[in-house]
């Protein structure tokens, strides 16, 4: 075929033909091809109309399905333990809602009557209702509006300070990227030929009723590339299910037979949650022979080269106490909830952890996917059971003792995100109540420590107060209480840059580390405001030592597969080759019991269902009521913000975000 020739496929009804022409005739053919017959155009319109009608027919079915799901959810709803223990906040919001509804009815009546009270003299008032309304307006202007205005200005100042902190962190991240600032390994790497040159490393996998993920975490840890005589894996099982304990023991035995130095530990007295589990494991006599300890939660799957990428950083730096790796998520695209979590955590690791590690040599330990120098743990007092954030506790105490931390943004460890709103809500409650408990306990030690004044100021004002207390306080107070309140008190109306421009800009900064999630910018902003209720409630319970502050609920896992799981799957398939060994290790009655336990677990699954969340639902109606009031005043941006924020609260309150259980 000549280079100048063109191949054109002409499509006709019931007929296809292939024509080859030279370049000189191509223009003529293309001009003819542009002409479309009326019959083809008619079929094109019919096709488009068919698609439109298909979408229109699908929409009522989708709405009907969602309505039936919501109706069923309301009928089967029950009050969760967390909801029952936080009645004070719920009652406050409910009273606020009733007052708002009453005020809305009053405003609608006045609007329909077309009262212009600025033009009415006191002696011209007609009727008791109009007199009450005029009295309320006078009281609102003289007493209520100044109070609300003062509160809003205070929260706006906190909002601007926190936004400035975020902006500085982002600028620090850009500087790190621009200068290519990364932690470097001091000295030569370990001699591969000489196994004795590698330091002794202890690997700990704390778990508690982690039925879905225990096998893949044990498999991943067992395949770490490190000399076999220089590593010991501790499976620290705190499960209270005897069936699950047998399954984990069996998995550990399989890897031990393959030459892996791995042991199983189970505490008889299970106190102190994860901190108590780790403390008990570190009390073993053989721990004194090890120099470093790597910690992985049960859903974490480190790559085989994890230790070779982290442990060498300790070489030549005796002041280094912790090397923290980044998390990556196997199920970040599972649903809308996991996508929004991914945005948050990408900013946390890429910006917060990396910047604090690069410029301050301090950040909060993430509790997993990190390697500690055992000497740093021991000199800092070891694991303590006094809070639900034992990871942050040990990090603060190690920092006060002068130990340095580094964060490796390039070393990633796969894990899971909570896929249900219930699991995510409980996780966030623990993450935001624990720091306030710790702040109360650590404040005297911070003030009297020997670290510099600048480090003390960073710990008190930035690490604890600004990022752990002020952020949830102003987020809830400003956007969930003051904003709807100002719709009924126009004298204290919030400016547009507070409710629109700055929040969108800050959300854009938050989403930069996960640019593929840019289409979720607005949902992310609305969802973060929705989560402020949970975070505010957790912060208050931790600060004032309320009962829910000491709750520890293991985050529910699903056991999503990943690339590293394929290796574990291959290892599992080799299990059939080791049946003779298993038979020698276990008696026939033991195997029969194990099989019965597995069958029993398959036959009797736990019943699960989506819940209703009362605080979120009440706030949804409160914001929608305020949106209706803003509509009377022709507030454009305020109305749309309140409308969509109220709908977001409604979706979350009905548990329509995240995993849906039929």
């Amino acid at each position: 075929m000549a280079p100048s020739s063109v191949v054109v496929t002409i499509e006709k009804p019931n007929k296809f033909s292939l024509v080859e022409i030279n370049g000189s005739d191509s223009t003529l053919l293309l001009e003819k091809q542009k002409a479309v017959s009326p019959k083809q155009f008619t079929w094109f319109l019919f096709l488009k109309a068919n698609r439109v009608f298909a979408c229109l027919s699908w929409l009522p079915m989708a709405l009907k399905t969602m309505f039936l799901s919501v109706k069923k959810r309301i009928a089967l709803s029950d009050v969760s333990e967390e909801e029952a223990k936080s009645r004070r906040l719920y009652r406050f919001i409910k009273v606020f809602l009733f007052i708002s509804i009453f005020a809305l009815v009053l405003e609608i009546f006045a609007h329909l009557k077309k009262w212009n009270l600025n033009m009415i003299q006191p002696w011209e008032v007609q009727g008791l209702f109009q007199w009450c309304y005029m009295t309320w307006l006078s009281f609102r202007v003289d007493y209520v509006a100044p109070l609300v205005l003062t509160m809003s200005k205070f929260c706006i100042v906190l909002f601007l300070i926190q936004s400035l902190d975020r902006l500085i962190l982002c600028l620090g991240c850009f500087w790190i990227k621009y200068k290519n600032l990364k932690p470097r390994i001091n000295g030569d790497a370990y001699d591969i030929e000489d196994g004795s040159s590698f330091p002794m490393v202890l690997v700990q996998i704390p778990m508690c009723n982690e039925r879905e993920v225990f096998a893949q975490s044990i498999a991943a840890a067992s395949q770490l590339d490190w000399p076999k005589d220089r590593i010991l894996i501790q499976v620290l099982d705190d499960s209270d299910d005897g069936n699950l304990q047998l399954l984990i023991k069996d998995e550990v035995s399989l890897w031990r037979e393959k030459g892996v130095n791995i042991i199983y530990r189970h505490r008889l007295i299970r106190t102190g949650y994860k901190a108590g589990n780790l403390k008990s494991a570190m009390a073993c006599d053989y721990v004194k022979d090890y120099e470093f300890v790597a910690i992985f939660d049960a859903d974490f799957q480190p790559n085989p080269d994890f230790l070779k990428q982290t442990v060498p950083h300790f070489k030549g730096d005796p002041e280094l106490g912790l090397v923290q790796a980044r998390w990556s998520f196997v199920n970040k695209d599972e649903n809308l909830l996991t996508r929004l979590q991914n945005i948050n955590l990408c900013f946390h690791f890429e910006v917060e952890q990396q910047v604090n590690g690069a410029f301050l040599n301090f950040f909060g330990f993430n509790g997993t996917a990190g390697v500690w120098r055992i000497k740093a743990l021991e000199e800092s007092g070891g694991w303590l059971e006094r809070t639900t954030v034992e990871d942050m506790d040990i990090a603060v105490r190690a920092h006060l003792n002068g130990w340095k931390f580094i964060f490796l943004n390039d070393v990633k460890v796969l894990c899971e995100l909570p896929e249900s709103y219930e699991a995510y809500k409980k996780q966030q409650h623990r993450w935001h109540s624990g720091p306030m408990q710790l702040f109360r306990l650590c404040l005297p030690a911070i003030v009297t420590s020997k670290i510099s004044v600048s480090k003390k100021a960073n710990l008190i004002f930035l690490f604890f107060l600004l990022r752990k207390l002020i952020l949830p306080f102003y987020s809830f107070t400003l956007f969930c209480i003051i904003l709807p309140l100002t719709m009924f008190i126009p004298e204290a109306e919030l400016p547009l840059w507070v409710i629109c421009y700055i929040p969108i800009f800050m959300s854009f900064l938050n989403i930069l580390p996960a640019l593929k999630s840019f289409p979720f910018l607005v949902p992310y902003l609305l969802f973060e405001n929705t989560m402020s209720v949970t975070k505010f409630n957790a912060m208050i319970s931790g600060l004032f030592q309320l009962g829910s502050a000491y709750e520890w609920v293991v985050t529910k896992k699903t056991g999503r597969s990943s690339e590293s799981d394929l290796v574990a799957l291959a290892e599992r398939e080799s299990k059939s080759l080791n049946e003779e060994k298993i038979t020698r290790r276990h008696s026939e009655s033991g195997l029969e019991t194990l099989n019965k336990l597995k069958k029993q677990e398959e036959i009797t699954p736990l019943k699960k269902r989506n819940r209703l969340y009362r605080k979120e639902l009440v706030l949804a109606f409160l914001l929608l009521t305020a949106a209706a009031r803003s509509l009377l005043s022709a507030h454009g941006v305020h109305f749309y913000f309140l409308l969509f924020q109220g709908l977001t609260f409604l979706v979350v309150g009905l548990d329509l975000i995240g995993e849906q259980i039929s």
Side-chain angles (χ1 to χ4, degrees), residues 551-585:
E551 290 181 351
W552 179 289
V553 180
V554 178
T555 305
K556 177 181 173 292
K557 315 295 192 314
T558 59
R560 296 288 179 188
S561 60
S562 63
E563 291 180 2
S564 59
D565 287 338
L566 298 177
V567 180
L569 180 61
E571 296 289 348
R572 285 188 181 212
E573 290 177 349
S574 67
K575 190 183 291 187
S576 59
L577 301 177
N578 298 327
E579 285 183 354
E580 294 180 1
K581 295 181 180 179
I582 296 175
T583 304
R584 288 195 297 268
R585 187 175 68 250

Side-chain angles (χ1 to χ4, degrees), residues 419-436:
E419 295 183 9
S420 69
Y421 180 67
E422 180 184 11
Y424 180 62
K425 184 181 175 75
K426 290 178 179 178
Q427 181 197 68
Q428 292 300 304
H429 187 277
R430 177 166 55 87
W431 285 4
H432 287 82
S433 65
M436 289 298 95

Side-chain angles (χ1 to χ4, degrees), residues 185-192 197-198 308 312 315:
I185 297 176
N186 298 324
D188 299 330
Y190 300 112
D191 187 2
I192 300 178
S197 65
F198 287 75
K308 289 187 174 180
K315 194 174 183 180

Side-chain angles (χ1 to χ4, degrees), residues 205 214-224 251 255 567-569 571:
I205 311 176
F214 74 87
Q216 63 191 36
S217 64
I218 292 174
S222 299
Q223 296 173 76
L224 288 170
E251 190 71 21
W255 286 103
V567 180
L569 180 61
E571 296 289 348

Side-chain angles (χ1 to χ4, degrees), residues 24 37 57 67 75 79 83 146 200 204 206 229 299 312 372 399 423 471 475 489 546 550 593 618-619 642 649 662:
S24 59
S37 67
S57 62
F67 176 76
V79 181
E83 293 280 330
M200 299 286 285
Q204 295 179 332
D229 59 337
D299 60 314
W372 277 94
H399 181 58
L471 176 58
S475 297
I489 307 172
L546 302 180
Y550 295 96
T593 303
V618 173
L619 272 168
L642 288 166
F649 268 104
S662 59

Side-chain angles (χ1 to χ4, degrees), residues 472-519:
F473 172 78
Y474 88 75
S475 297
F476 173 72
T477 308
L478 186 61
F479 295 108
C480 299
I481 300 298
I482 294 179
L483 177 58
L485 186 61
T486 57
M487 294 299 98
F488 300 95
I489 307 172
E491 296 83 4
E493 182 180 319
L494 294 176
L496 286 180
W497 57 268
V498 173
I499 66 171
C500 182
Y501 303 141
I502 292 184
I504 289 180
F505 177 70
M506 299 312 300
S507 297
F508 175 74
L509 291 181
N510 279 20
I511 219 167
L512 282 179
L515 275 178
K516 292 182 180 179
S517 302
F518 185 77

